[in-house]
Amino acid sequence: MRSPGVVTRIDPTKLRTDPELGLVFTIQDLQTLFGVTAKFDINEYAIVLDVPGLDRFSGKLAETETPIQLEGLPQVAPQKFSIAAIEQKVNASGSASRSTNYRGDFLAVGSAFGGSWFIRTDQPNLENPQTWNIAEAQFLRQTNSTDYFVVSQPTFWQTQGTGDYWGFTSIQQQGFVPPQPFGGGSSDPRQQLQADSIGRTISGKAEPGTLARLVQGFGDRVIAEILVDSSGIYRFENIKSQNQFLGNNYRILLYPQGRLTAQPEIQEASFSTVLGQLPAGASGLIVSGGLRRDFVGNQSFLGNFSDFQGGIAGRWGLSENLTVGLGGVYDESARALAELFWRPGKLPLQVAVSALTGNRM
């Protein structure tokens, strides 16, 4: 039973039953269960209830986000190809004894065939097109469970080789949603193996009958609440821990006997997430293959392509605190890949390890 001043659990078998009114509360019940005192006003010939803290009640429960309904709305098909933005930068440098040199940087972004594309051209000598080269070029297509990267991109394993990597990468996600980048431009396949948020469990001990409320930061909006039962343990499950720069600081407000008018005991509950962690039961699979590119001794627009590289790796969330990954890559030679992401719940410790066999780490 909930009132503005108290939240409590009542056993109806312990209440009195009036033959005409049914279940009733005695004056003593009001005092014991709700902390409400009562007195009889002979002039009004009525019982006057004194409900404490009505003007001080706060802590509104956070409202559940209303899902967006798309049924019945007209569908507009996007264009097969579009240009969203074009930018040309020019940097002029020179002196009295040296001729002016114009260096440029050209980039463009847009959409095509259900995905997005990005290109950036480096122009060391703006007046000589033969010196221009494509610094980055990428096409990205994302579906509900799979992402596709084509052309230039970072490798998902750490490499010490020179040049950059051009190829094809496919990433499958099961049980998690990757973070959404805020900026435009090229994307990193490694970020798509990370979860935007991970469900955490917050638990503790309190006296039976205590009302435990979970609030974020120093605000008073209640995310969840639970009335502690005879076990003396409260538990809040699937509390989202963001992988971005948002804070993950929570407080538990413990109201003795469920009385919201009492001064609550405050317990801190802060935690963080290691980049690369996945929710418990989630998994990701990445497959990539391509060529190394460099411009050493070459003034061509695309550069030199050589040395095949590629790999396959999986990542599994074994628990909300532990994620492991295994795989193999070919980078000048065949190598095994192992990953470990661990954030214990009780210790201020974070572990993120990614290692290749051989003489490179």
Side-chain angles (χ1 to χ4, degrees), residues 1-9 33-34 57 209-211 213 225-227 255-260:
M1 180 171 289
R2 178 190 302 273
S3 73
V6 67
V7 177
T8 186
R9 185 179 290 109
L33 297 176
F34 307 114
F57 174 68
T210 300
L211 178 67
R213 282 188 158 184
E225 67 177 16
I226 186 172
L227 196 61
Y255 294 89
Q257 299 179 355
R259 302 190 188 283
L260 298 175

Side-chain angles (χ1 to χ4, degrees), residues 42-59:
I42 188 62
N43 295 324
E44 297 291 338
Y45 201 73
I47 297 176
V48 180
L49 302 179
D50 182 14
V51 182
L54 284 179
D55 57 341
R56 295 186 289 112
F57 174 68
S58 61

Side-chain angles (χ1 to χ4, degrees), residues 122-134 299-301:
D122 187 21
Q123 303 162 325
N125 187 348
L126 191 62
E127 299 176 320
N128 184 6
Q130 294 183 352
T131 64
W132 298 1
N133 57 75
I134 295 181
Q299 297 295 328
S300 68
F301 191 61

Side-chain angles (χ1 to χ4, degrees), residues 96-343:
S97 59
R98 188 172 53 134
S99 60
T100 303
N101 177 62
Y102 296 94
R103 183 182 183 91
D105 188 87
F106 173 84
L107 62 86
V109 295
S111 61
F113 307 105
S116 60
W117 59 268
F118 168 78
I119 187 171
R120 183 174 70 85
T121 302
D122 187 21
Q123 303 162 325
N125 187 348
L126 191 62
E127 299 176 320
N128 184 6
Q130 294 183 352
T131 64
W132 298 1
N133 57 75
I134 295 181
E136 297 177 87
Q138 185 182 94
F139 174 78
L140 168 63
R141 176 175 169 78
Q142 295 178 286
T143 66
N144 293 333
S145 60
T146 307
D147 298 335
Y148 303 95
F149 292 81
V150 184
V151 197
S152 67
Q153 57 196 272
T155 59
F156 68 83
W157 66 94
Q158 296 184 10
T159 177
Q160 295 179 348
T162 59
D164 51 9
Y165 176 71
W166 284 44
F168 171 82
T169 299
S170 172
I171 304 174
Q172 296 183 6
Q173 299 117 354
Q174 297 291 334
F176 72 97
V177 177
Q180 299 298 320
F182 292 102
S186 61
S187 300
D188 191 338
R190 295 169 296 187
Q191 294 180 349
Q192 304 307 110
L193 277 178
Q194 303 171 5
D196 181 58
S197 62
I198 295 179
R200 293 283 190 173
T201 298
I202 300 176
S203 61
K205 295 182 179 180
E207 290 293 328
T210 300
L211 178 67
R213 282 188 158 184
L214 179 68
V215 299
Q216 186 170 17
F218 295 98
D220 60 355
R221 287 185 63 110
V222 180
I223 300 174
E225 67 177 16
I226 186 172
L227 196 61
V228 181
D229 58 18
S230 58
S231 67
I233 297 176
Y234 63 83
R235 181 184 297 270
F236 300 102
E237 296 182 346
N238 200 29
I239 304 302
K240 299 301 182 182
S241 171
Q242 294 288 336
N243 249 338
Q244 303 295 320
F245 299 103
L246 300 177
N248 292 305
N249 296 319
Y250 294 88
R251 294 183 303 154
I252 297 96
L253 308 182
L254 301 176
Y255 294 89
Q257 299 179 355
R259 302 190 188 283
L260 298 175
T261 56
Q263 186 67 25
E265 177 188 349
I266 300 177
Q267 296 182 357
E268 301 294 333
S270 61
F271 46 79
S272 61
T273 301
V274 181
L275 289 178
Q277 275 189 269
L278 297 181
S283 63
L285 177 66
I286 183 169
V287 179
S288 183
L291 301 173
R292 180 178 297 164
R293 186 191 72 148
D294 60 63
F295 288 96
V296 178
N298 189 353
Q299 297 295 328
S300 68
F301 191 61
L302 290 177
N304 287 328
F305 292 92
S306 61
D307 298 336
F308 172 80
Q309 297 173 293
I312 179 172
R315 189 176 292 180
W316 298 270
L318 301 184
S319 69
E320 66 179 30
N321 296 322
L322 178 64
T323 298
V324 298
L326 293 173
V329 301
Y330 183 85
D331 186 359
E332 297 182 354
S333 63
R335 303 174 185 272
L337 172 68
E339 296 178 314
L340 174 68
F341 306 93
W342 182 45
R343 175 64 171 90

